[in-house]
Amino acid sequence: MCAVGRADRFDAFRALADRRGRPGDRLMESLAEARAGTADSPETWAPAVAADIGLPAAAALGPASYYADLAAPHGRRHVRVCTATACFAAQAGRHLADAEHELGVTAGTTSPDRETSVQVVRCVGYCYAAPAALDGDTPCTGPTLADQLAGREPARAPEIPAADDTGDPVLLGGVMAGEAAWQVWPTTVAEGTPDEVLREVAASGLRGRGGAGFGVAAKWEAAGRAPDTVLVVNGDEGDPGSYADRLLMEADPERVLEGLALACFACGAHRGVVLVRSEYPRALARIREAVRRAYADGHFGPSVHGTGRALDVAVAEGAGSYVAGEETALIAGLEGDRGCARPRPPYPTRHGLWDAPTVVNNVETLAAVPWIVSRGGGAYARRGARGETGTKLVCLSERFARPGVYEVELGAPLRRIVTELGGGLKDGCELTVLQVGGPLGGFLAPDALDVPLTTEDLAARGAALGHAGLVAFDRHVTPEEVLRHIWQFAAAESCGACSPCRVGSRRGLELASVGTPPGPEWGSLARVLAEASLCAFGRRIPPAVYSLARAYGDRLGGWAP
């Protein structure tokens, strides 16, 4: 369908919401408040929320039954147990059963007295200290997780280990050396021009760090500097195995916000939104406080630093959905709708949030912008690899001897990151497979790590750069268990907007669970997912499964398609 046809198509939800003052934020906040402390299904409380805002019951039932945080029953004590890849790899997933046993509650239910509830989530950003859970907003991590939830041990939540491998960090300057933020924005907004900022970012070659790797300057230009342009910071980092965005939002939120301000300036935008995933409660609090200070210090407001240029920034909280990190699904969520991917074209840069031109950049992308504007795009372009410039935050999971966030130059040898920075696996364990680039990124065998850390080189070997999370597996987890884990993730997180992904992910889980050997059905399923899925989520499932089969080789046997 052409862009014009899609843009002109009548959207009943948007039309009604327009008449009610576009209550997307109020709707999601009200739904979260109504859900807190009740084990009842959304059908019993969501319609009243809609009525209070002047919307029909369906407008509230849609998101309330879709988002995990709203659909899951809540007791007065609500525990979210992470079952994402790093937590699964730590103990082969046994920590969930241990937590259920200690709490006396099965995941997805509440205790008979409705006092305690357990929800499965993916992920909470403690991949370096897995397994992990959130007891309310209190993180508990490590091999004694069940004891912490039972109260026999105090909650343990170590800070994120971070290190720079570049000698001149772009992203970790504030975290590692205490370099102050807000050093670039006041001068730029007072004396610079949007064209100057755009030129430096274009010269830098900066590409989006959220997974797709699209050119940042090209995306900014695509919005056309329309006066109603909105810039959205995607802090809904959902790739299990990556926690770099959590580090930046918690330890250096001002640098993220300064990058947002510079991006708004270049795009001609006067409004920004920072979306933070609900599984990052500390990051949400830090971002909100940093926004408050930015207004107080004149960085945001109706006349930024007396220039007459307005910039207003709001903070929104996610509600629990992996696919809602995809930019069209993210925009739907901000409007108060279900977080399902939307067909493109039109692209968000033309018709995004409430049909306004919308630029979506992730946290790490924007955190690099102040350095680029200050030092120059050419200086950034001289770093990294040919065709893929700059630095990247790489996250190493709990199985490594030295887990944590490392800033490296793109093109750094993957084997060096694993063996030298990460120190190999802890306790002398042997690496069996390495997951690179998120749950649907790809897997590499131990003898296939001689590859530069770039999108192109990893893709050539069946993996992906993505958020650059590295999750190590050892022999304590069987190949069959890893395969089932992939399909469990796919089936649980499919948004359901398209049949190929919705049905295909469930069918794949059924086949993997019963050990169906490779055959015509596996091949047919892979083709449908790869060719007919609406968004990259469904299309990435077959390559991830194939890469796992290659990485394990004969060890996976008849499980692989």
Side-chain angles (χ1 to χ4, degrees):
M1 185 176 291
C2 69
V4 174
R6 275 280 301 138
D8 292 344
R9 190 174 71 184
F10 180 72
D11 188 313
F13 175 81
R14 278 181 169 175
L16 179 61
D18 267 338
R19 296 199 296 271
R20 297 292 184 267
R22 297 180 176 178
D25 290 344
R26 286 188 291 124
L27 174 61
M28 298 302 288
E29 290 171 0
S30 297
L31 288 172
E33 291 172 2
R35 163 48 83 193
T38 178
D40 295 334
S41 64
E43 289 81 1
T44 64
W45 49 267
V49 172
D52 287 344
I53 298 176
L55 294 172
L61 281 169
S65 59
Y66 172 81
Y67 291 102
D69 291 351
L70 301 176
H74 284 224
R76 284 178 286 276
R77 179 191 183 190
H78 187 61
V79 179
R80 289 174 282 180
V81 180
C82 180
T83 61
T85 315
C87 288
F88 170 75
Q91 297 181 351
R94 292 187 298 273
H95 66 287
L96 174 59
D98 292 343
E100 292 173 324
H101 174 74
E102 292 293 347
L103 296 169
V105 182
T106 302
T109 69
T110 60
S111 57
D113 59 3
R114 297 197 170 192
E115 180 67 28
T116 304
S117 55
V118 175
Q119 175 188 349
V120 166
V121 297
R122 310 168 185 85
C123 101
V124 296
Y126 284 87
C127 315
Y128 58 95
L134 292 174
D135 189 351
D137 285 344
T138 301
C140 303
T141 69
T144 63
L145 174 63
D147 290 327
Q148 295 171 49
L149 294 174
R152 291 189 293 271
E153 289 191 12
R156 175 180 177 270
E159 295 297 320
I160 300 174
D164 170 55
D165 186 55
T166 71
D168 182 13
V170 172
L171 299 157
L172 294 182
V175 176
M176 302 298 302
E179 294 178 5
W182 296 120
Q183 302 301 301
V184 182
W185 173 236
T187 302
T188 301
V189 71
E191 303 174 9
T193 68
D195 283 339
E196 289 171 347
V197 174
L198 185 62
R199 279 198 300 270
E200 294 300 340
V201 173
S204 75
L206 178 66
R207 293 164 65 171
R209 299 303 192 221
F214 193 77
V216 173
K219 179 181 277 193
W220 290 1
E221 286 184 298
R225 287 189 186 155
D228 57 342
T229 298
V230 182
L231 204 139
V232 176
V233 183
N234 184 356
D236 198 358
E237 173 189 59
D239 273 359
S242 179
Y243 43 95
D245 288 358
R246 181 171 83 81
L247 172 67
L248 293 171
M249 289 189 287
E250 289 184 6
D252 201 6
E254 290 83 4
R255 197 169 311 277
V256 178
L257 295 179
E258 185 172 23
L260 165 63
L262 291 164
C264 287
F265 187 61
C267 295
H270 298 283
R271 185 158 68 98
V273 179
V274 186
L275 175 69
V276 184
R277 65 197 324 256
S278 65
E279 295 89 344
Y280 289 178
R282 186 184 299 177
L284 181 64
R286 297 277 171 85
I287 285 287
R288 282 175 169 160
E289 174 58 22
V291 169
R292 186 197 65 77
R293 288 197 302 268
Y295 272 101
D297 294 340
H299 301 308
F300 301 154
S303 179
V304 174
H305 294 298
T307 62
R309 177 179 292 273
L311 178 56
D312 288 312
V313 175
V315 180
E317 181 179 1
S321 168
Y322 176 83
V323 173
E326 190 273 339
E327 60 182 21
T328 63
L330 179 153
I331 288 167
L334 290 175
E335 294 175 345
D337 205 350
R338 295 163 67 93
C340 297
R342 293 170 171 171
R344 291 181 288 183
Y347 293 92
T349 49
R350 290 298 182 186
H351 298 279
L353 185 63
W354 298 114
D355 226 20
T358 303
V359 173
V360 181
N361 289 137
N362 94 311
V363 167
E364 185 179 334
T365 305
L366 292 174
V369 173
W371 193 100
I372 291 169
V373 175
S374 173
R375 305 282 193 92
Y380 188 87
R382 286 190 289 273
R383 309 183 66 175
R386 183 176 182 180
E388 199 157 349
T389 62
T391 69
K392 183 79 186 75
L393 296 182
V394 177
C395 299
L396 275 61
S397 70
E398 172 270 347
R399 291 286 84 193
F400 286 94
R402 292 190 290 272
V405 173
Y406 295 85
E407 183 166 358
V408 304
E409 294 207 4
L410 283 162
L414 184 60
R415 185 175 298 281
R416 177 175 172 273
I417 295 172
V418 169
T419 59
E420 296 184 24
L421 300 184
L425 269 58
K426 63 170 55 174
D427 301 325
C429 290
E430 179 186 351
L431 177 69
T432 54
V433 291
L434 180 73
Q435 185 186 68
V436 185
L440 302 179
F443 293 83
L444 296 174
D447 61 358
L449 302 184
D450 293 313
V451 52
L453 191 76
T454 69
T455 300
E456 183 177 350
D457 288 297
L458 288 169
R461 289 160 175 80
L465 179 63
H467 275 90
L470 304 183
V471 178
F473 286 86
D474 58 31
R475 290 190 177 275
H476 291 96
V477 186
T478 69
E480 292 82 5
E481 288 173 324
V482 181
L483 180 63
R484 284 197 299 274
H485 177 76
I486 296 176
W487 285 109
Q488 286 167 347
F489 178 88
E493 293 294 345
S494 172
C495 77
C498 68
S499 297
C501 181
R502 181 181 66 251
V503 178
S505 60
R506 295 171 185 171
R507 182 56 182 154
L509 177 58
E510 292 172 359
L511 293 173
S513 297
V514 299
T516 301
E521 187 169 6
W522 275 116
S524 175
L525 176 61
R527 284 193 298 274
V528 170
L529 281 164
E531 298 174 10
S533 293
L534 179 61
C535 76
F537 181 88
R539 294 194 293 268
R540 277 299 311 171
I541 298 172
V545 173
Y546 284 134
S547 73
L548 181 70
R550 286 193 298 271
Y552 272 122
D554 293 340
R555 287 194 62 199
L556 195 53
W559 289 85

